[in-house]
Amino acid sequence: MIDIKSMSLQEMGDFLQSIGQPAYRAKQVFTWLHKGARSFDEMTNLPKSLRDQLAGSCLLTPPKVARKQVSRLDGTMKYLWELADGNCIESVLMRYHHGNTVCISSQVGCRMGCAFCASTIAGKVRDLTPAEMLDQVLFTQLDSGLEISNIVLMGIGEPMDNFDTVRKFLELVNHPDGMNIGMRHISLSTCGVIPGIRLLGDLGLQLTLSVSLHAPDDETRSRIMPVNRAYPVDELFAACHEYFRKTGRRISFEYAMIDGVNDHDWQADLIAKRLKGMPGHVNLIPLNDVVESPFKPSRRIAAFQKRLESHGLTATVRRSLGGDIDASCGQLRRKAMEEARKGEIPNDGSMEHE
Ligand code: SAH
C-alpha cells in the first residue's frame, strides 16, 4: 500500500500522473488530506472511480485518540495517539499567550538513552513517517478545536535520528496548500547528533534549533547523555557555531536542572565560555521527576540563571505546564504501557478519555 499522505505535492502529482490522472488532481487530494480527510470517499470533488482506485492502492491511517488528558490548572492537553500498527505516541497542546503550541513526537520510543528521560527507557521501536508526524499537528487541531500556530519537535524521539522524515514533515506542514505553518513558528530539538545539525544548517531554514545541552563538560554530559560519547561537547559547540554562521539563527540551549549534577556555578561559567561569539539563549528547565530516574530537581535554578546573566547571556526558566497530567515527554506512554502490561486497560484504543 502507498503512503500517499507522506508525499509532497510534487510527488503526489507524479504519482497521480503515473496512474493516468491529470496533474491538477494532486492539489485536490493534497488539500483534502491536509484538512484531515479520513477516507478517500470524503473527497467529493474527485470522480468516484478515482476515489475507489486510491482507496484500493493507498493507505490512509489517521491516528486514534487512545487517551486524552486536560489539565485543570492551565488547559494543557495531552494526547496519547494509537497508530495503525497499535503503537502509541504522545503530543501535548500548550496554550501560551503567543498562540497554541503543539509538541510532537518523531519516533516511537527513543534510542538515545538520556538518563533522566522517560521516553528512552524502553528504547526505540520504530521511526515515524512524515504523515504520522503531520497527523499529530492536524488531529490535535481538529480534536481540540484550537488553531495551532506553533510546533515544537520536543516529544518522544530524536528528530536527527529520523532526519529525512523530519525534513519531509517540515515541507508538508509548511506548505501553503496544507497547514501553512511558518518555519519561524517551528522549533526542532536535538540531543546533539552532529551530522543532523550540519544537514539542517545546510537547508538554511528559518526554524529555531534547540540543543539539549544539560551539561557543558564531557564528564557530566557523557554520564547523563550517552550521545555525548559519540559527539563530545567541543565538537557539538563547533557544529553550533557553524550552524549559526550558516543560518544566522540564534540557537536555544535546553538545560534541565539536576540537583548536584549540572547546577554548579563553574558549569554556568563554562557555558558562557563555550557560547562566546554566538548569541545563545539558555532555557533552564525544572527537572521533571521521572519515577525510574535517580535524579532530583535542582534547588539552584535562580542562582544559576543569575550566574549566566552575569556573563551577559540570555537565560530563561521554562514555565512548567500541565503539572497535574503527566505532561512531560514519554510519561503518559510509559504509564499506558505499564498499565497494559498489567492488564489494567484494554490496549485497543477503546478506553475512555480521562
Ligand atoms: N530528542 C530530542 C527531543 C525530545 S526531548 C532532544 O533530546 O532534544 C525534549 C526535551 O526534554 C529535551 O531537552 C530533553 O532533554 C528534555 N527532558 C527529557 N526528560 C526530562 C526531564 N525528566 N525533565 C526535564 N526535561 C527533560
Side-chain angles (χ1 to χ4, degrees):
M1 292 292 253
I2 295 162
D3 178 13
I4 192 170
K5 197 165 183 176
S6 288
M7 289 182 184
S8 65
L9 184 57
Q10 174 73 43
E11 287 168 339
M12 220 175 268
D14 294 346
F15 166 65
L16 288 167
Q17 277 187 312
S18 78
I19 58 168
Q21 292 293 323
Y24 69 85
R25 292 274 182 233
K27 192 162 165 174
Q28 292 176 320
V29 176
F30 190 90
T31 307
W32 277 111
L33 291 175
H34 288 244
K35 271 203 265 179
R38 291 170 174 274
S39 72
F40 293 102
D41 244 3
E42 291 172 38
M43 305 183 181
T44 44
N45 56 353
L46 303 185
K48 177 87 172 80
S49 58
L50 175 58
R51 281 187 262 157
D52 290 344
Q53 192 181 0
L54 292 176
S57 58
C58 299
L59 200 65
L60 262 197
T61 51
K64 285 189 279 189
V65 179
R67 276 195 185 191
K68 177 174 158 185
Q69 297 179 327
V70 182
S71 165
R72 289 190 186 87
L73 302 173
D74 49 44
T76 298
M77 293 183 189
K78 181 136 195 174
Y79 287 93
L80 185 72
W81 301 107
E82 188 186 324
L83 306 174
D85 63 357
N87 276 305
C88 286
I89 50 165
E90 295 173 26
S91 316
V92 184
L93 172 60
M94 294 160 290
R95 309 183 65 177
Y96 292 113
H97 296 299
H98 61 268
N100 297 315
T101 299
V102 66
C103 173
I104 62 165
S105 300
S106 55
Q107 297 177 316
V108 180
C110 182
R111 63 189 185 110
M112 294 297 134
C114 297
F116 44 82
C117 180
S119 301
T120 199
I121 295 172
K124 181 182 106 169
V125 178
R126 69 168 174 88
D127 289 330
L128 293 183
T129 63
E132 286 170 333
M133 292 191 67
L134 178 71
D135 280 347
Q136 294 174 64
V137 186
L138 187 52
F139 289 107
T140 297
Q141 174 163 288
L142 292 173
D143 184 89
S144 68
L146 297 167
E147 192 177 331
I148 307 277
S149 48
N150 305 287
I151 302 171
V152 296
L153 272 70
M154 289 193 185
I156 298 171
E158 168 52 44
M160 299 306 196
D161 191 36
N162 188 15
F163 187 75
D164 282 343
T165 293
V166 167
R167 191 180 46 74
K168 283 194 101 176
F169 157 74
L170 292 171
E171 187 184 339
L172 292 180
V173 82
N174 181 236
H175 200 283
D177 295 322
M179 295 196 79
N180 197 17
I181 295 182
M183 284 295 166
R184 284 176 183 267
H185 296 268
I186 301 177
S187 294
L188 184 158
S189 180
T190 177
C191 63
V193 179
I194 292 177
I197 297 175
R198 294 223 174 93
L199 288 170
L200 188 69
D202 290 339
L203 295 179
L205 301 175
Q206 292 298 293
L207 53 70
T208 299
L209 174 65
S210 287
V211 172
S212 298
L213 182 61
H214 304 323
D217 57 291
D218 281 323
E219 195 190 325
T220 312
R221 198 163 190 274
S222 291
R223 191 177 137 214
I224 56 178
M225 301 178 73
V227 67
N228 194 69
R229 294 173 208 152
Y231 305 113
V233 178
D234 265 349
E235 291 171 31
L236 175 60
F237 274 92
C240 289
H241 281 273
E242 185 193 320
Y243 183 90
F244 174 67
R245 280 195 301 276
K246 284 198 260 193
T247 63
R249 302 283 298 166
R250 183 176 83 158
I251 296 175
S252 173
F253 291 89
E254 307 298 307
Y255 204 92
M257 298 289 295
I258 310 175
D259 187 38
V261 173
N262 65 358
D263 59 352
H264 304 288
D265 277 345
W266 66 265
Q267 285 162 319
D269 300 343
L270 188 53
I271 295 174
K273 200 172 144 201
R274 294 200 181 269
L275 277 175
K276 267 211 175 80
M278 171 174 78
H281 166 223
V282 183
N283 194 18
L284 302 174
I285 312 172
L287 185 77
N288 275 302
D289 238 332
V290 173
V291 188
E292 294 92 336
S293 145
F295 300 116
K296 293 288 154 245
S298 168
R299 291 156 293 185
R300 295 201 71 247
I301 298 183
F304 200 81
Q305 179 183 25
K306 272 218 182 84
R307 189 83 176 193
L308 288 169
E309 285 170 348
S310 76
H311 293 287
L313 290 179
T314 309
T316 50
V317 180
R318 184 187 286 172
R319 193 161 59 96
S320 178
L321 293 178
D324 53 339
I325 58 161
D326 305 305
S328 67
C329 306
Q331 292 191 8
L332 182 58
R333 176 168 172 265
R334 286 274 321 141
K335 195 165 139 186
M337 278 164 68
E338 194 53 24
E339 285 168 5
R341 197 177 60 75
K342 291 188 199 145
E344 286 169 10
I345 16 165
N347 196 12
D348 60 4
S350 67
M351 49 211 153
E352 298 234 321
H353 296 176
E354 291 186 5

